[in-house]
Amino acid sequence: MAEARALAGKVAIVTGSGKNIGKAIAEALAAEGAAVVINGRGDKAIVENTANAINQAGGRAMPFVADITKPDAVAAMVEATVKEFGGLDIAVTNAGLRRQTPFLDMSLDEWREILSVALDGAFIMAKAAVPEMIKRGGGALIGLSGISHHAGAKERVHVNASKAGLEGFTRGMAIELAQHNITANCVAPGSIDTVRGASAGGPHGRALGSNVPAGRQGKPEEIAAMVAFLAGPNGRYITGQTIHVNGGLFLGK
């Protein structure tokens, strides 16, 4: 008899999961048996393609285009998730904007835009998801942070601030929701080999791996593996933590 998969019967939403790390997370959760909602805010084709690929591989996935900074859109996504799959157990807030702008050139509008996706989005997602998790007897909130606000990065003060806020939000949620058997954690990737937009700035490709003690960039699948672990039965005693996955680039000093 085949061994039961760790997330069999679970339901997950992964924001920003049409490509890169988000896609790898969705695929990893689906491979472990979870039904997954693939979310993006604009590129419908990418979201649908990722969901179709998971379904064709024998998993269960549903595409849903929604701007996570909009409470009504997120509420509709959670409602559709529950209708399609019967509940919600895992919410991964991966969506984020990674602009590269010098502080003196940064507008308040850009500042607010960056914070709205990473920080407001996590709040709005949790507000919609947590009541459904309580109905299921527990769940997992997982946010995607990053190395930059720990190690420091120029021209990214808004990104740094948003991720620092996300980690603080996560710690508070871990304490407040423990009574409901809901864990809350962050995964902080280091230099990961992904396709990045021009607005993200900075060096690309192998140059980013040259300063990593492990001697290479990480793979999206390595971030996804940590998220799947935290969402699964073996991660239930981990909460309120930021888990660094960076090949030694930042050692948590």
Side-chain angles (χ1 to χ4, degrees):
M1 184 173 67
E3 184 178 349
R5 291 180 289 178
L7 297 176
K10 301 298 184 181
V11 180
I13 293 175
V14 183
T15 69
S17 50
K19 61 183 180 179
N20 292 332
I21 291 174
K23 178 182 179 182
I25 291 170
E27 291 172 341
L29 297 179
E32 289 293 342
V36 185
V37 174
I38 310 300
N39 163 260
R41 72 171 184 171
D43 197 329
K44 184 178 180 181
I46 287 180
V47 171
E48 290 180 342
N49 288 343
T50 297
N52 289 338
I54 289 173
N55 288 324
Q56 289 170 8
R60 293 190 298 158
M62 176 180 75
F64 201 100
V65 175
D67 184 339
I68 65 165
T69 69
K70 308 297 183 184
D72 289 348
V74 174
M77 177 167 63
V78 170
E79 182 179 358
T81 300
V82 173
K83 182 177 180 180
E84 179 71 16
F85 296 127
L88 179 60
D89 306 281
I90 302 157
V92 182
T93 51
N94 167 72
L97 300 176
R98 295 169 178 82
R99 302 267 170 81
Q100 194 97 357
T101 305
F103 172 70
L104 293 178
D105 296 333
M106 190 179 296
S107 67
L108 182 58
D109 285 343
E110 182 176 337
W111 166 270
R112 286 173 170 164
E113 182 186 19
I114 297 297
L115 265 68
S116 72
V117 176
L119 193 49
D120 293 352
F123 172 83
I124 293 167
M125 185 72 247
K127 286 286 285 185
V130 166
E132 297 300 331
M133 293 179 180
I134 291 173
K135 293 176 185 177
R136 303 269 279 187
L141 299 171
I142 303 170
L144 269 289
S145 182
I147 194 173
S148 64
H149 94 83
H150 290 277
K154 68 178 182 178
E155 300 182 353
R156 301 188 74 187
V157 297
H158 43 12
V159 176
N160 295 346
S162 72
K163 298 303 186 181
L166 176 62
E167 291 183 12
F169 171 75
T170 297
R171 293 186 188 105
M173 293 291 277
I175 298 300
E176 190 159 344
L177 299 179
Q179 63 179 316
H180 299 296
N181 193 34
I182 296 173
T183 58
N185 293 287
C186 280
V187 175
S191 176
I192 306 300
D193 187 8
T194 60
V195 178
R196 303 192 305 167
S199 64
H204 291 253
R206 294 181 180 177
L208 283 169
S210 61
N211 295 325
V212 180
R216 63 175 177 84
Q217 288 186 283
K219 300 175 182 178
E221 292 77 14
E222 291 173 306
I223 305 303
M226 179 56 68
V227 172
F229 175 79
L230 292 172
N234 292 326
R236 300 310 301 158
Y237 199 57
I238 302 171
T239 195
Q241 304 302 310
T242 295
I243 311 296
H244 292 274
V245 185
N246 59 42
L249 188 57
F250 176 76
L251 301 178
K253 296 179 182 178

